[in-house]
Amino acid sequence: MPRGRYSRHDPHDHTPLAEEHFHCAPGPSGWRYVSQITTPTGDHSGSVDLTTDELGRPIRLELHAGDWQVRGAALEGVTWVRTDPTGAHATEGNARAHSFTGTSPAFLVATTRLLRLTPGAPAVRLRLVSFTDPVLAPRTLDQSWALLKSEAHATDNGPLAVDEYQVSELDTGEQYAVHIAGDVVLAAPGIELESLESPPSTFP
């Protein structure tokens, strides 16, 4: 079970935004990721709890940011309930989308599990619902993903397969690279893996 810490920063000016202390593991029915998020000064600011099935579909999502909360799952596309700080005005949402996304590295791993891309194959387009910090506001967006290459890198624990993806934001035309090994993000815009206590899990 990988445990570690990501740092999150503004991808444009590198202002530190948060640290995410996580653990994750594949199980008999899919994959689960749990994390606690702190501010750069160490104050607790949120959490992520994401479970996907063996096909990569989100069967349970729970996000906290400040006093806001979102619970969601794959149901008629994706469905979610967003609760405001007072709890008096919970709102439901639904979108004909493939999955969820957001600022946590968990969503990048979950997307690759959903797509199951092979190196050199044509890019695949998908629709996602993003929950944006700090109030977890939902926004539907379209992305294109392609697996450029998969390379084995030597480590103390044997070869580590690293996948390099190219992601395109279809509403802005922005393109960027995401590097993932198993169920751990090694590098992505605004995300750095700062520490890892055990090797990434490998999926069957």
Side-chain angles (χ1 to χ4, degrees):
M1 177 187 293
R3 291 178 177 270
R5 176 173 56 89
Y6 293 110
S7 64
R8 291 173 12 194
H9 58 266
D10 186 299
H12 303 292
D13 63 13
H14 300 284
T15 301
L17 300 176
E19 295 209 333
E20 188 162 337
H21 301 259
F22 73 94
H23 62 272
C24 55
S29 61
W31 179 71
R32 187 178 183 197
Y33 176 101
V34 178
S35 70
Q36 297 294 323
I37 301 165
T38 59
T39 66
T41 57
D43 296 323
H44 183 265
S45 63
S47 62
V48 178
D49 190 340
L50 172 65
T51 303
T52 64
D53 66 12
E54 60 185 4
L55 298 177
R57 296 172 299 196
I59 55 177
R60 179 175 176 272
L61 171 67
E62 186 167 323
L63 297 177
H64 292 265
D67 295 324
W68 295 88
Q69 175 181 301
V70 165
R71 295 188 180 193
L75 182 66
E76 298 178 352
V78 293
T79 299
W80 66 92
V81 175
R82 176 174 174 263
T83 306
D84 66 296
T86 66
H89 303 287
T91 56
E92 294 187 14
N94 172 263
R96 291 290 179 183
H98 297 90
S99 191
F100 298 111
T101 190
T103 53
S104 172
F107 295 112
L108 298 175
V109 175
T111 298
T112 65
R113 297 298 301 153
L114 184 70
L115 294 176
R116 307 290 175 98
L117 299 175
T118 54
V124 174
R125 176 175 177 156
L126 74 164
R127 175 159 290 180
L128 301 168
V129 172
S130 173
F131 295 104
T132 54
D133 293 337
V135 295
L136 301 179
R139 181 173 72 94
T140 303
L141 55 87
D142 293 305
Q143 292 181 337
S144 171
W145 282 66
L147 177 54
L148 299 183
K149 58 185 177 182
S150 182
E151 295 182 337
H153 294 257
T155 71
D156 295 339
N157 298 301
L160 180 67
V162 178
D163 295 329
E164 180 182 346
Y165 295 88
Q166 183 180 70
V167 183
S168 301
E169 301 288 350
L170 297 182
D171 56 344
T172 64
E174 180 185 8
Q175 290 187 333
Y176 52 88
V178 173
H179 295 82
I180 293 178
D183 57 356
V184 173
V185 176
L186 303 181
I191 297 168
E192 295 291 341
L193 179 64
E194 299 291 350
S195 64
L196 187 64
E197 296 179 11
S198 55
S201 301
T202 55
F203 292 102

